[in-house]
Amino acid sequence: MILVTGGAGYIGSHAVLALLETGHEVLVLDNLCNSSRLSLDRVALLTGRQPRFIEGDVRDGALLDELFQRWPITAVMHFAGLKAVGESVREPLRYYETNVAGSITLCQAMARAGIFRLVFSSSATVYGESVSMPIREDCPTGIPTNPYGQSKLMAENVLKALADSDPRWSIALLRYFNPIGAHESGLIGEDPNGTPNNLLPYMLQVAVRRQPQLSIYGGDYATHDGTGVRDYIHVMDLAQGHICALERLGRSAGVSVWNLGTGQGYSVLEMVRAFEQITGRALPYRIVARRPGDIAQCWADPSKARVELQWNAERDLHAMLADAWRWQLSNPQGYQHEQAPQAVMVG
Ligand code: NAD
Ligand code: UD1
């Protein structure tokens, strides 16, 4: 059985789906501070299997001890964390406490229970402003410009030191690039709280007139059209990367770092045009000042994961946008819908 912390959230729910589809038993631990348990009901609808769910906090060591005693858990996928950059600047202690101390509490409980296999959600943010593209795993980590990024880098360093101290640990640090999209059914997807900070959730809300227009942060970057370039990756490809990493953990010790990206960068303007094509709706935008802390460009060299995990991102930008749009149309208020919506045909 796999313990999935944060398994009701955006990426976690897609990973739970992928785990169930590959035959794993799953126990989800989530305090629902940024998610709804309806996501897991939808996963059950899709897989025909209801994942077990415990509402609780990853910082609660006694609860973790109880779960590890009660269930035959062999490995942990650790998604539970806070991820809003702006909020992390306003509330740094909450971010360090959840993302760093929460990871430490989890590892302490795992060690007490004799469980040493862990897949950790890291981020390309740990590279900081990397000078050369594409980014390989052996690029030095940079200085993240905000407490969220710092907390991910600190957690990575804690996990590296832990694995160095005890050869029983086998830990995967998965550095995500920019996860977007939704399961192709449109039944599960990203359900941001309040006004979205990230590009695609914001574009979706402009397209359904919940926001008047998109602000493009900066048109004067040293990129081919002046707007920021990122490596967007379909959340189901990301979920599959976790399955591959989990399988690999059974065969190797120590810490391994893998980039999960496509290797292909798209600018904000390219995203806008592709989105307009798929939705058939004009997306009003204006170019405004750069967002503090943003970098010009960032895309992965995913070849290490391709070789070592036999993993490849298979879905293209069209699929990412079409699937996100289907999720948005079927769930205009996210998980606040009472009933599972009907599937919607897109593109
Ligand atoms: P999310 O907010 O949708 O999911 C995180 C889940 O963790 C939520 O369900 C939340 O309720 C839960 N949670 C938070 N604090 C908890 C706690 N103390 N105890 C138990 N549960 C708790 O976010 P996501 O996009 O699915 O991200 C998952 C992980 O991936 C996070 O660690 C995030 O930092 C990391 N990550 C995300 C991105 C991204 O772009 N979405 C990029 C890089 C890394
Ligand atoms: C951001 C975070 C990163 C985090 C990731 C996933 C910052 C500096 N970085 O990455 O730490 O891991 O989200 O949560 O916040 N854009 C617009 N208009 C918008 C929104 C975004 O033009 O309304 C642009 C950005 O300037 C960027 C691109 O779109 O060029 C992608 O932005 P976003 O989706 O927020 O992701 P990142 O900034 O890459």
Side-chain angles (χ1 to χ4, degrees), residues 76-155:
V76 179
M77 282 191 190
H78 180 33
F79 296 95
L82 303 175
K83 63 165 182 177
V85 172
E87 190 181 65
S88 79
V89 176
R90 294 189 299 275
E91 300 178 58
L93 296 184
R94 239 183 100 216
Y95 272 69
Y96 289 118
E97 197 202 9
T98 301
N99 295 357
V100 185
S103 301
I104 293 172
T105 302
L106 174 66
C107 289
Q108 287 168 330
M110 287 175 70
R112 284 195 292 272
I115 300 162
F116 295 99
R117 285 201 272 160
L118 176 68
V119 180
F120 178 68
S121 297
S122 189
S123 167
T125 195
V126 301
Y127 291 113
E129 186 135 19
S130 182
V131 278
S132 66
M133 294 293 147
I135 303 178
R136 290 161 46 99
E137 290 83 349
D138 55 11
C139 286
T141 52
I143 304 170
T145 53
N146 53 74
Y148 164 72
Q150 289 283 0
S151 73
K152 285 288 161 186
L153 186 55
M154 284 168 79

Side-chain angles (χ1 to χ4, degrees), residues 5-13 29-36 39 56-60 78-84 94 97-99 102 120-125 148 151-152 174-180 189-191 198 235 238 242:
T5 74
Y10 171 44
I11 303 170
S13 58
L29 172 68
D30 199 305
N31 68 1
L32 301 180
C33 71
N34 196 38
S35 54
S36 160
S39 64
D57 202 293
V58 75
R59 293 165 295 175
D60 183 345
H78 180 33
F79 296 95
L82 303 175
K83 63 165 182 177
R94 239 183 100 216
E97 197 202 9
T98 301
N99 295 357
F120 178 68
S121 297
S122 189
S123 167
T125 195
Y148 164 72
S151 73
K152 285 288 161 186
L174 301 184
R175 292 178 178 161
Y176 311 160
F177 281 67
N178 287 58
I180 60 169
E190 186 169 12
D191 183 14
N198 298 119
V235 66
L238 194 67
H242 288 70

Side-chain angles (χ1 to χ4, degrees), residues 279-291:
T279 60
R281 297 189 184 185
L283 197 84
Y285 69 83
R286 67 193 169 120
I287 296 183
V288 301
R290 294 179 181 191
R291 181 170 64 178

Side-chain angles (χ1 to χ4, degrees), residues 83 85 123 125 145-146 148 178-179 197-200 202 214-217 228-230 232 268 291-295:
K83 63 165 182 177
V85 172
S123 167
T125 195
T145 53
N146 53 74
Y148 164 72
N178 287 58
N197 301 306
N198 298 119
L199 179 64
L200 186 61
Y202 203 96
L214 173 71
S215 296
I216 295 184
Y217 299 135
V229 171
R230 296 290 185 276
Y232 297 94
V268 180
R291 181 170 64 178
D294 269 2
I295 55 176

